[in-house]
Amino acid sequence: MGMALTVTPLFRASIATTTTAATATRRPFLRRPHFFFAQRKSNINSQRLITRNTVCRVSCSLVQVEDGVNDEACELVNGVELSIGEGNDSIQAYLCTAVKNNNETGILVLSDLFGFEDSSTRDFAYRVACNGYNVLVPDLFRGDPWGKDCPHTIFEPWMARQDSQRVAKDIATATEWMVDEFMAAGISKKLGIIGFCFGGGRVIEVLARDQGTRFGIGVSFYGTRIDQSLASNIVVPVLFISGDNDPLCQVSIIKDIEKRIGRGSRTDIFEGRGHSFAHRPGSPEEDADADQAFTIMRNWLEDGLVVNN
């Protein structure tokens, strides 16, 4: 039986929430459950964010945490759909925030080709929020993500519709929204950015443009379509995670980018792993490596954004 809960949100919002018991169902091979949030869509304007959503209470045993990490941090997380901006410039996004033990730190997550509504991406955002973060996942494809059943013959025409300047502008819109919300709460911490596949490649572009203004650290999971020449423009450390059996993300390329960036950047290569193993593991073996990759990322974010920010 749920009970009413009133929280003081980080973001400019008056949020009425209900805590409900949630039973997590395991998918084959995965310890991470797929979480379904009962939620309402909310429109954002420049004055105030008002949302109503549901908070799911889950068992922390389903999320691997290291010794010393407070298990209570995983108990309450808000998930809400947002519309950011106005008119033709508006974009949809998903905001996932820690209610208890919120560390007042923001993370922008850039999805793979399957978009911001994909269950694997949202599960991952939830896990990050479980560790105290405020996670925003924007719709990079304006309601036109790649479909899992689409024939490969139409991939390049579909990709051609994803105008790079429009994508960059939408990422900037999401970034500025997060910065504005934190500033309104009196918080001036820099953000973190995480990307997978298509989003992992965009991490490099974003950090090269940003020059350390908004973001303090980055994580790129098996990034694709990366412009290596941009690496020298990045002034913050980046963690690269990939497999050595990934034809879409060559190890030599990301190691070269890591070397060009310097500044304490790091590359972790998982032997025998292919594309998407960290957020879409398909076997017990990949699931174990996905957990290890998540732990590496979590420690990277903790050290770079929480401890030293």
Side-chain angles (χ1 to χ4, degrees):
M1 181 175 180
M3 65 177 181
L5 173 67
T6 301
V7 299
T8 302
L10 169 63
F11 298 102
R12 289 176 291 176
S14 176
I15 303 180
T17 65
T18 301
T19 302
T20 59
T23 302
T25 302
R26 296 189 185 186
R27 287 175 287 173
F29 305 128
L30 304 185
R31 288 196 296 277
R32 283 171 294 288
H34 173 41
F35 300 97
F36 294 92
F37 290 98
Q39 55 203 358
R40 298 183 182 181
K41 291 188 177 181
S42 303
N43 291 322
I44 302 299
N45 57 42
S46 60
Q47 300 298 320
R48 190 170 180 82
L49 160 66
I50 300 178
T51 67
R52 287 184 62 84
N53 62 339
T54 295
V55 183
C56 284
R57 186 180 184 90
V58 300
S59 170
C60 230
S61 64
L62 294 174
V63 179
Q64 295 296 309
V65 292
E66 294 179 336
D67 293 339
V69 176
N70 186 355
D71 287 356
E72 289 296 314
C74 296
E75 289 195 349
L76 293 173
V77 170
N78 276 345
V80 63
E81 303 276 354
L82 305 176
S83 179
I84 301 173
E86 298 180 355
N88 293 333
D89 292 331
S90 67
I91 61 172
Q92 301 302 304
Y94 180 66
L95 178 66
C96 203
T97 63
V99 176
K100 296 182 68 175
N101 298 306
N102 191 299
N103 60 24
E104 300 184 339
T105 303
I107 303 288
L108 185 67
V109 172
L110 306 182
S111 72
D112 60 15
L113 300 177
F114 300 112
F116 85 122
E117 293 182 311
D118 180 77
S119 61
S120 294
T121 296
R122 294 205 173 185
D123 287 354
F124 196 94
Y126 182 92
R127 294 189 74 200
V128 175
C130 275
N131 286 269
Y133 295 96
N134 305 280
V135 184
L136 184 67
V137 190
D139 178 10
L140 302 181
F141 306 108
R142 294 288 185 103
D144 181 32
W146 179 250
K148 292 183 174 68
D149 297 326
C150 290
H152 290 290
T153 54
I154 68 171
F155 179 77
E156 289 304 330
W158 171 84
M159 180 59 72
R161 296 199 302 270
Q162 313 308 322
D163 179 70
S164 60
Q165 293 185 352
R166 193 271 304 158
V167 172
K169 183 178 180 181
D170 289 350
I171 293 173
T173 296
T175 301
E176 290 306 311
W177 182 83
M178 290 197 81
V179 170
D180 289 346
E181 294 298 317
F182 276 97
M183 290 297 292
I187 300 168
S188 59
K189 288 183 177 181
K190 290 187 176 181
L191 307 173
I193 183 169
I194 301 169
F196 306 97
C197 182
F198 175 84
R202 307 295 71 73
V203 164
I204 302 306
E205 296 173 0
V206 171
L207 293 179
R209 286 192 301 267
D210 182 67
Q211 294 281 293
T213 302
R214 305 300 195 193
F215 295 98
I217 204 167
V219 182
S220 176
F221 285 90
Y222 25 78
T224 61
R225 299 176 182 250
I226 297 178
D227 184 348
Q228 291 174 258
S229 68
L230 296 176
S232 58
N233 295 327
I234 296 176
V235 298
V236 299
V238 179
L239 169 66
F240 296 91
I241 295 178
S242 189
D244 65 359
N245 192 29
D246 185 346
L248 301 178
C249 180
Q250 297 182 20
V251 172
S252 60
I253 291 178
I254 59 175
K255 284 189 173 182
D256 175 67
I257 295 173
E258 176 212 342
K259 183 178 179 180
R260 294 190 192 190
I261 296 172
R263 302 178 185 275
S265 294
R266 169 179 170 179
T267 298
D268 281 85
I269 303 299
F270 285 78
E271 184 177 356
R273 295 294 161 244
H275 201 62
S276 300
F277 78 92
H279 74 303
R280 298 180 186 280
S283 69
E285 294 77 20
E286 283 196 348
D287 195 51
D289 282 349
D291 277 339
Q292 184 181 349
F294 188 90
T295 298
I296 292 169
M297 179 207 68
R298 185 182 61 231
N299 293 340
W300 178 261
L301 296 175
E302 174 78 13
D303 292 342
L305 289 177
V306 180
V307 176
N308 298 316
N309 196 351

